Each structure stands twice: as C-alpha cells, then as structure tokens.
Amino acid sequence: MKLVVQVKLEPMPGQAAALEATLRACNEAATWVSEIAFERGEFKNFPLRKHTYDEVKSRWTLGAQAAQHVIKKTCDAYTTLKANLKAGNLGKPGSKRYRKATEKPLAFRPQGAQPYDDRMLSWQIAERTVSVWTTSGRVKNVAFTASVEQLATLALYRKGESDLLERDGMWFLSATCEVPEAELNTAPADFLGIDLGIVNIATTSDGEIMAGRELNRVRVRERGLRTELQKKNTPSTKRRLKKRRRKEARRAKDINHKIAKHVVAEAERTGRGIALEGLTGIRERVRLRKPQRATHSSWAFHQLGEFIAYKARKAGVPVVHVDPAYTSRTCAECGHIDKANRVSQAFFACRNCGFVDHADRNGSRNIRARAWESWRRGAQSTAPAPPRTYRGEAGRKRSITASDARCASPGP
C-alpha cells in the first residue's frame, strides 16, 4: 500500500533561497500552462506538451524533467477540478461558486508543491541529506530531520516521486513509499466497538474514553478567542486567526492519529476487528440548535475514521462499519430500545432490565454487537485503500493538484 513519509528540510539561507526561486518559477510556469490549456481546451498531458514544453523550458529556465512535471501537474489539477465538479463539491451548475471554478483558468500558488523524480532529487538517508535540482543548479547536502521510523521506511520502501513544498516558512519533502500490508485477519476473536461523540471523541466497548472533557475545555476556550478576534476584524487579527486555524487543525489531526494508533494497536494485540459507525451524511441528517452547531461540526470525525481504516489495513485488522441508528437508546444487555433509556449525555439506565452504564460505553457495545453479527453473516472488511499519507506514524498529505491549484477560486 502507498503511504507518504513527510520529512522536514533544514536548508541553509542560500539553499532556501534557491528552493524558493525554484518553486516560484515552477508555479508561474504551471499557471501559464493552465492558461494555454484553458484557451485551447486541451487538458491531457502529451497533447498539451506540444504547445507548452519548449516555452516552459526556455522562459523559466527549467530542466526537461521539471518542465514535464509542471505540465503534468497542470493536467492533474484540471482532472481534480473535473472530478469535484462532477461530484457536486463546487455547487450546482450555474451557481456562483460553480461559475467561478469554470470561467477562468486555474492558478497555482507561488509556494505550491512541486513533484520531483529520482533524476531531480537524490536521498542520502544515512547522512540525512538530500541533493535537489533547482533553477540555479544542483543544491547538495540539504539536511533533513526525521524519526528513526521514518528513516527506516524511507530506506526500505521509498518508491516513486517526492514533493517539495514550503509551508509557513518551513520546507518539507513528501516521499512516496510502497509499504507492504499485513495479511488480513479473517477470523477475528471479536470486535472492538468505537462510539464517536461530541463530549467524548471516542469511547471503546472496553470502556476506555479517549479525548474527553479536557480536550473540550480547550476547544471552548479557543472558540471564544476566535470569536473575539473575528469581532475586531483588523488585518492583524485576520493574520492571527489564520495562524490559529492551522494550529487547531494540527492539534485535531494529531489527536486523531493518536486515537487511531491506539485503537488499531489494541485490536491487533487482542486479535479483534474494529467496529465503526457509518456516519456518512450525518451533518445533513441531524438538526441542532444554533449553540450546538459549532461543537458538532468542528471535529474531523471523517478524518478519524480514515486514519483508523488505513492503519487497520496496514496491520491486517478488519474494519466493519455499521448503522448507528438507535445505538444510544438500545440496552446492550437486553436489547430494549427506548428514548428514556438515555437519561443524560453520560448516563444510561435501561427502563426494562435496570442495566446501568456510561452512555457512550453502552453505545459502543451495541456497535460491537452489530459488527459481530454482520461479520458472522458474511460481511467483509470495509477498510478502504489508504489515503496516500504518512507523517511519523502517519499523517495526511493533501493532493498536490487539489491543494496547490486554486480549484474553488481559479485565477486572480
């Protein structure tokens, strides 16, 4: 399975200047190629090369490999745009957002990621350095930092392209690795149910609560600070809001990784599968009061599910998604369903048999039971092919074409 190891570069000032000039030139060239593709209506790689390859090489002094990657990156960006339009991610045809995405050519950010192949980039993993092609020549001995686990993965499984990107003044390389999957456990002893919630992000059927009230206090405090900054609406507060938004996203992503890693490790250790709720479309199905909306929509539950799924796939742990309907109202002991069973957010008391438990743990036990029943009836593991991500243990890498091309806001 393909994952991506992301390492942090530590270039000297002169090296960083060369890298910055290279990214800027490549993305300026990609924006120009995008304009030609838009004018001619030609969005396929090889036909587009006939109209742009020579100009890209001479005008921006790019090497042959870099010019080809620039053209391919542009074509990939339009492929992503077409897929987003088809899926309805940019609104309905004729809407303002849809027109904005289709009436102008795509533009690339100056710091957008640039793909490198082995002709343009070489790794010296033992020395923790890389040699990188730039518009001003080959830059050698660029130091990078990585964990022991990352170094081992790079040494054993690196295969394919690497992406150079700059973010908040820091430089990164994302290297594609072909990591072998463990053999799927087709005879799990049981399932580990995971109940996802607002107060407690994840509760297992073993009764373990992960990321509970302490995290929510931090989230409430950050939301209050964000509200105060939004009221001021000055350039400095906008910059601060942008910085805090990224910080909050990184914290949520880190917590999701830790939860997923712990859940998969526990399931693998005990020979069990993992049972998850099928939460597709929950924001459209659930009606909430206005004060509840921010809390309900501010956690990346889909991201958490993806992290669990691909880590489970890597470890050979089966994953089954079940219908979450009435799991919070059903007694895990006798199966009695009653809205009154859920006394409060944290307290469950069955009106039929008198069983008392933590509400989230009761829900996770119901999820476990449904997954086990589905598995016995012949259900297959629903863990999808993993996203192409890896950061330390694993981290989410955004698609170059989706992140570096302004798909939703083409053109200046």
Side-chain angles (χ1 to χ4, degrees), residues 240-256:
R240 191 175 176 187
L241 277 169
K242 186 177 180 181
K243 186 176 181 180
R244 292 197 66 83
R245 180 173 69 249
R246 293 175 178 172
K247 183 177 180 181
E248 291 171 16
R250 288 194 300 270
R251 179 187 290 114
K253 184 176 178 181
D254 181 62
I255 292 172
N256 280 342

Side-chain angles (χ1 to χ4, degrees), residues 291-320:
Q292 297 175 307
R293 292 172 190 168
T295 302
H296 177 264
S297 302
S298 63
W299 194 262
F301 289 106
H302 178 72
Q303 182 190 74
L304 174 57
E306 281 192 338
F307 287 174
I308 292 175
Y310 90 79
K311 291 176 192 288
R313 187 182 179 95
K314 181 183 175 185
V317 175
V319 177
V320 172

Side-chain angles (χ1 to χ4, degrees), residues 139-161:
V139 177
K140 299 182 179 180
N141 298 322
V142 180
F144 70 88
T145 179
S147 67
V148 175
E149 182 185 3
Q150 287 176 304
L151 291 173
T153 304
L154 286 171
L156 294 173
Y157 307 121
R158 190 187 67 81
K159 184 178 180 180
E161 295 180 354

Side-chain angles (χ1 to χ4, degrees), residues 154-215:
L154 286 171
L156 294 173
Y157 307 121
R158 190 187 67 81
K159 184 178 180 180
E161 295 180 354
S162 303
D163 297 334
L164 175 69
L165 62 146
E166 185 267 338
R167 184 171 63 243
D168 297 333
M170 297 179 291
W171 292 91
F172 300 92
L173 271 175
S174 298
T176 305
C177 296
E178 191 74 37
V179 180
E181 299 179 22
E183 185 178 353
L184 181 67
N185 179 10
T186 57
D190 201 344
F191 277 83
L192 180 65
I194 309 296
D195 180 78
L196 305 178
I198 301 301
V199 175
N200 301 313
I201 301 301
T203 305
T204 72
S205 54
D206 292 343
E208 185 175 6
I209 295 175
M210 293 171 283
R213 297 184 183 276
E214 182 177 351
L215 172 63

Side-chain angles (χ1 to χ4, degrees), residues 93 114 156 279 284:
Q114 175 64 18
L156 294 173
L279 298 178
E284 291 74 24

Side-chain angles (χ1 to χ4, degrees), residues 61-101:
T61 63
L62 301 184
Q65 292 299 111
Q68 292 181 32
H69 282 299
V70 163
I71 297 168
K72 185 176 183 299
K73 181 171 78 169
T74 305
C75 295
D76 289 343
Y78 277 102
T79 301
T80 300
L81 174 62
K82 183 178 178 180
N84 284 330
L85 293 173
K86 185 176 180 179
N89 296 333
L90 299 175
K92 297 180 180 179
S95 66
K96 182 177 179 180
R97 190 180 178 195
Y98 189 98
R99 293 197 309 271
K100 190 175 181 180

